[in-house]
Amino acid sequence: MAHDSGSRTLISAAQLRRGKGRYLYWALVTLVVLGFTLVFIGPLYWMVTGALKTGQEVAQTPPTLWPRHPDFSNYVSAWQNLNLGKLLFNTFYYAAGAVLFQLVLDTAAAYAFSKLRPALGNVILGAMLATLMIPTIVLVVPQYVTVIDLPVLHLNMLDSPFAIWLPLVTNAFNIFLLKRFFDSIPDELMAAAQVDGAGPLRTLWSIVLPMSRPILGVVSIFAVTYVWKDFLWPKLVMPSPETRTVSVGIYAFSGGSSQNEIIAASVIAAIPTVIIFLIFQRNIMSGLTAGSVKG
C-alpha cells in the first residue's frame, strides 16, 4: 500500500487540490489570520488613534474608528505635563541594572549547574524550578518585608534601585534557559580549555560566553520588558515621585489629566519596547530554540 512520505497534515494534498476543499481551506486560514490580527493589533490601534482624539471623542459611544480631527499636540502635552522624560530615564536605569545583575549572577549560577556540577546541584536546581509554581502575588508580602528591613544589614531599601534589582536576580526561569544552552556546548571544548591551562572563570569568559550571545540576548530582553511592564512592585517600593517608573508615573497622573493625554503617554511608553522587539525578534527566536537539541 503506497503512502505519502512527505509531511502529514490534517487535510491531505488531494483534498486541497479539489475545488471546494481548496476554497474552504483558504477561507478558514484567512478568517483565523484576520481574527488573531484583530485581537493583537486592535488594542494598539485603539491606543494610537485614541491619543489623536479629543476628550469628548474618546469618551463617546459608539467610538469612532478614526479621529475626526487628528491632534498631535496630545503627545506634546503628555510629554510635558506627565514629566515623561524623567519617568523614561528612571525606567531605563532600572532596566539596565536588572540586565547587568541577571547576566552576571544568573549566568554564574547556570554555568555552575551545567559545567561545574556541584554536589546536590540537581536537587538545588529542582527546588529553584519548583518556585516557578508559586504565584508571584504570594511573594509580594515577604519580599516587601525584606526590602523595608534587609536581614543582617537592617537597611531600608525603599526608593533604592536595589529594591527592584535584587528580587529580579533570583529568576529560576532564566537560570534554566541559560543552563539548557550551556548543556549544548560540547564537553570537548571544556576539556581542551583545561588542557591549555584555563580555569573555570577563564573558560566561562573565553569559550562559554562568546558562544552564548543568542541566549544572553534573550535574557536581557526578558529583563528589560519585565521592568518596563511591571506595575505593582515598583509602586510599592518606589513611593517618591522622583523614583517612579513610567507605568507608575502614568497611573499617578491619571486622576488629574485628560484621558487622551493618558492614552498618548501610554503610546510613548510603549514605543521603546516595540522598537526593541522589532530589532531583536530574530535573536529572541534563535536564542529560545538554540540549545533545545543537543548534538
Side-chain angles (χ1 to χ4, degrees):
M1 180 177 176
H3 64 278
D4 186 10
S5 59
S7 60
R8 302 180 64 88
T9 60
L10 293 176
I11 304 176
S12 66
Q15 289 176 318
L16 290 179
R17 285 193 293 266
R18 296 172 185 169
K20 292 184 179 180
R22 179 175 57 186
Y23 294 125
L24 180 61
Y25 171 78
W26 286 111
L28 290 175
V29 170
T30 303
L31 288 175
V32 170
V33 171
L34 288 177
F36 277 97
T37 301
L38 291 175
V39 168
F40 289 101
I41 303 299
L44 294 177
Y45 175 81
W46 177 88
M47 185 170 64
V48 173
T49 56
L52 300 175
K53 300 176 181 179
T54 62
Q56 295 80 3
E57 190 175 358
V58 170
Q60 79 173 37
T61 302
T64 56
L65 294 178
W66 182 255
R68 295 193 183 97
H69 304 287
D71 185 7
F72 289 90
S73 64
N74 293 331
Y75 289 98
V76 179
S77 300
W79 180 271
Q80 296 174 348
N81 297 337
L82 276 66
N83 196 18
L84 283 180
K86 176 63 175 176
L87 297 176
L88 289 172
F89 174 80
N90 290 344
T91 311
F92 270 118
Y93 178 60
Y94 301 147
V99 170
L100 178 62
F101 274 95
Q102 287 199 16
L103 288 183
V104 173
L105 300 178
D106 289 0
T107 299
Y111 178 67
F113 285 129
S114 176
K115 299 303 181 183
L116 302 184
R117 298 183 178 89
L120 301 178
N122 290 333
V123 176
I124 297 174
L125 179 62
M128 293 175 59
L129 294 177
T131 61
L132 295 175
M133 303 301 295
I134 302 176
T136 305
I137 195 67
V138 176
L139 303 176
V140 170
V141 172
Q143 285 182 347
Y144 184 77
V145 172
T146 302
V147 165
I148 61 177
D149 186 15
L150 189 66
V152 181
L153 299 178
H154 299 291
L155 297 176
N156 188 329
M157 294 193 298
L158 292 181
D159 284 325
S160 169
F162 288 96
I164 291 180
W165 293 340
L166 295 184
L168 291 179
V169 171
T170 56
N171 193 312
F173 179 71
N174 285 345
I175 293 176
F176 176 73
L177 280 182
L178 290 165
K179 179 187 179 299
R180 290 298 299 166
F181 189 93
F182 294 163
D183 288 343
S184 67
I185 298 177
D187 292 334
E188 290 77 7
L189 291 176
M190 312 296 294
Q194 293 178 356
V195 171
D196 291 339
L201 289 179
R202 179 62 184 274
T203 303
L204 173 64
W205 181 261
S206 302
I207 295 179
V208 176
L209 292 183
M211 299 179 62
S212 306
R213 290 176 182 174
I215 195 64
L216 294 177
V218 170
V219 171
S220 301
I221 293 170
F222 283 172
V224 170
T225 54
Y226 184 86
V227 172
W228 210 272
K229 71 180 182 180
D230 195 16
F231 173 78
L232 177 60
W233 184 247
K235 189 177 189 308
L236 291 175
V237 300
M238 297 294 178
S240 300
E242 294 78 13
T243 59
R244 288 171 177 163
T245 61
V246 66
S247 59
V248 177
I250 293 175
Y251 169 79
F253 285 103
S254 60
S257 301
S258 60
Q259 189 173 2
N260 51 352
E261 284 187 2
I262 298 300
I263 297 174
S266 301
V267 174
I268 296 174
I271 288 175
T273 53
V274 173
I275 293 175
I276 290 174
F277 172 78
L278 293 177
I279 294 175
F280 297 104
Q281 57 180 326
R282 292 185 179 180
N283 300 72
I284 296 175
M285 297 307 300
S286 62
L288 290 176
T289 56
S292 59
V293 179
K294 186 175 180 180

